[in-house]
Amino acid sequence: MAETVKLIETGDGSHSLLNLSMNETYHSLHGALQESKHVFIRNGLQYWFQQNIGKSVSILEVGFGTGLNVLLTLQEALHTDARFTFTTQEPFSLSMETIQQLIYPALLNDNQLQPLFT
């Protein structure tokens, strides 16, 4: 069965996917990486930890998508003392071919992330 997503480049140079059957993108066209850092990390995860110092958090993400939010959360954990449990569900997993085209670890300049992302 052919995958119904197409790799696209967003305004910040990072990749997103276009779901061809719904004509909907996984991230903002202005910047997938920029959007996830702003919404999910800075105003979500980091804000929560600032308000709840020393506590751990459980995250449920419905729709794993490209894995960008998980990757950024993992980067946060590797470079801080953040403690969390991350659970995600994805009914429409991507092919390994599509996953290998995503360039998030390279854009983040973090050598620890590439093997973990793959």
Side-chain angles (χ1 to χ4, degrees), residues 26-83:
Y26 281 44
H27 304 98
S28 168
L29 293 175
H30 301 291
L33 185 58
Q34 175 181 298
E35 174 191 40
S36 287
K37 281 183 170 183
H38 177 74
V39 175
F40 198 84
I41 300 300
R42 283 189 213 108
N43 292 303
L45 190 65
Q46 289 175 348
Y47 177 81
W48 192 91
F49 280 123
Q50 289 169 359
Q51 304 302 310
N52 299 278
I53 296 170
K55 293 185 180 179
S56 62
V57 64
S58 294
I59 301 165
L60 170 63
E61 182 177 44
V62 179
F64 183 76
T66 63
L68 180 55
N69 288 336
V70 173
L71 184 68
L72 291 173
T73 302
L74 182 56
Q75 182 181 42
E76 189 75 11
L78 290 171
H79 300 288
T80 68
D81 61 352
R83 294 176 302 156

Side-chain angles (χ1 to χ4, degrees), residues 78-113:
L78 290 171
H79 300 288
T80 68
D81 61 352
R83 294 176 302 156
F84 60 87
T85 302
F86 201 116
T87 304
T88 184
Q89 298 177 339
E90 178 58 62
F92 308 107
S93 297
L94 300 174
S95 70
M96 187 53 78
E97 180 183 338
T98 298
I99 293 166
Q100 290 172 338
Q101 294 178 57
L102 299 170
I103 60 170
Y104 303 136
L107 290 175
L108 293 169
N109 271 334
D110 193 329
N111 293 334
Q112 293 178 315
L113 294 178

Side-chain angles (χ1 to χ4, degrees), residues 16-36:
S16 185
L17 298 172
L18 170 64
N19 182 311
L20 298 170
S21 62
M22 297 188 331
N23 195 32
E24 193 171 298
T25 60
Y26 281 44
H27 304 98
S28 168
L29 293 175
H30 301 291
L33 185 58
Q34 175 181 298
E35 174 191 40
S36 287

